[in-house]
Amino acid sequence: MTKKLNITSVGQGRDLVLLHGWGLNSAAWQGVLPLLESYFTVHLIDLPGFGDSEPFALHTLQNMAQAVLDKAPTEAVWVGWSLGGLVATQAALMAPDRIRRLVTVASNPKFSQDQDWPGIQPKVLQQFIDSLSGDFKTTIERFLAIQAMGSESARQDIKALKSWLAEKPLPDPKALADGLAILQQDDLRSQLKTLEMPFLAMFGKLDRLVPIEVAHQVTLLAPDSEIYVFEKASHAPFVTDKEQFSAQLIHFCLV
């Protein structure tokens, strides 16, 4: 499906797949990697068009999920942050026998807000889409700033995310645009109830992109799901609270 999907594997133990969010790459997980690699064989994947993975002609949620399924271990825990959470959820719906447990982090089955659903204001998403035709690096940095907004350590969080972004090539512009289109249009809400594996959804209470109200909505859509809320984190709890994040992930996966 793609000429090259970059995957790096470290550690030992059960297989753990980590999927990053929009605009970033697998280096975003560097802060928690030392806390996880003693418990898991961690598979760090750059989504198509991001980091060291080559882009598609068109990036849809389905073909991104299939690309990762083609490269990932046959039975693993999948953890997806933000857009990566949508990709992981789509993969779990497509191949439930391949995914032992599903964890979404600061993700939303429908990212775009409407009158009945909390999310990102459509005009904000459209502004990001429009700004990509200009300096898309600045657009990414603006998005990173919003991700950290509200956290007590916002300045440090942004600095860390920027440094990790710089470790790999900038995303493909088409992948960025298609990724925002997914956030704008895709809706997995009605399918959450069909998930067959244990499902943990993590949220930051101070998140400006995925309002904390989404946590309650997810419990209604997927009554068997587990919810965990980071009280002092925003959109990147694995950066803000890496010890707490790792402890919760290890507990969910190994107990």
Side-chain angles (χ1 to χ4, degrees):
M1 179 166 287
T2 183
K3 292 180 181 177
K4 178 186 176 185
L5 190 78
N6 184 63
I7 177 169
T8 303
S9 302
V10 298
Q12 57 186 358
R14 294 182 182 179
D15 289 312
L16 181 73
V17 170
L18 297 181
L19 302 180
H20 61 84
W22 183 87
L24 278 152
N25 55 59
S26 59
W29 301 103
Q30 282 193 12
V32 293
L33 198 55
L35 301 172
L36 298 176
E37 58 188 357
S38 296
Y39 297 89
F40 305 100
T41 300
V42 183
H43 304 276
L44 301 153
I45 296 179
D46 291 325
L47 293 174
F50 295 87
D52 294 314
S53 290
E54 294 181 357
F56 292 136
L58 176 66
H59 306 80
T60 67
L61 193 55
Q62 290 78 12
N63 68 20
M64 292 174 79
Q66 187 60 57
V68 180
L69 282 166
D70 289 344
K71 289 286 187 178
T74 55
E75 188 176 352
V77 176
W78 283 43
V79 180
W81 170 45
S82 197
L83 171 63
L86 271 183
V87 176
T89 303
Q90 180 65 50
L93 293 166
M94 291 166 58
D97 57 319
R98 292 280 310 278
I99 299 176
R100 291 183 58 251
R101 292 171 184 252
L102 172 66
V103 182
T104 60
V105 184
S107 195
N108 196 336
K110 180 182 182 295
F111 271 86
S112 183
Q113 173 188 310
D114 62 32
Q115 61 182 5
D116 299 318
W117 189 261
I120 306 172
Q121 292 183 13
K123 66 178 182 181
V124 173
L125 277 171
Q126 190 59 50
Q127 286 170 359
F128 277 107
I129 292 170
D130 294 341
S131 68
L132 282 178
S133 59
D135 182 356
F136 70 86
K137 184 177 179 182
T138 300
T139 302
I140 294 171
E141 291 181 350
R142 282 180 53 220
F143 198 76
L144 294 183
I146 294 176
Q147 289 180 14
M149 197 177 295
S151 165
E152 293 178 357
S153 56
R155 187 170 296 178
Q156 298 97 301
D157 296 351
I158 294 170
K159 184 178 180 180
L161 289 167
K162 282 184 178 179
S163 71
W164 295 329
L165 175 64
E167 292 193 9
K168 296 197 174 197
L170 283 173
D172 178 78
K174 187 72 166 61
L176 289 171
D178 291 346
L180 286 178
I182 290 170
L183 296 182
Q184 187 181 46
Q185 301 167 12
D186 281 68
D187 183 354
L188 298 182
R189 290 177 296 175
S190 65
Q191 299 178 68
L192 287 190
K193 65 178 179 293
T194 69
L195 288 171
E196 299 178 14
M197 67 291 296
F199 171 34
L200 169 64
M202 294 180 169
F203 298 92
K205 191 173 184 178
L206 308 177
D207 197 337
R208 303 291 180 89
L209 295 172
V210 179
I212 192 58
E213 291 81 11
V214 175
H216 174 66
Q217 297 294 336
V218 167
T219 62
L220 297 178
L221 294 171
D224 294 332
S225 62
E226 295 184 33
I227 302 293
Y228 188 84
V229 176
F230 296 88
E231 295 292 328
K232 296 183 178 181
S234 54
H235 194 62
F238 57 92
V239 178
T240 310
D241 298 299
K242 54 180 178 287
E243 289 84 5
Q244 188 179 358
F245 172 86
S246 301
Q248 291 300 319
L249 182 59
I250 292 165
H251 176 76
F252 175 71
C253 293
L254 299 183
V255 169

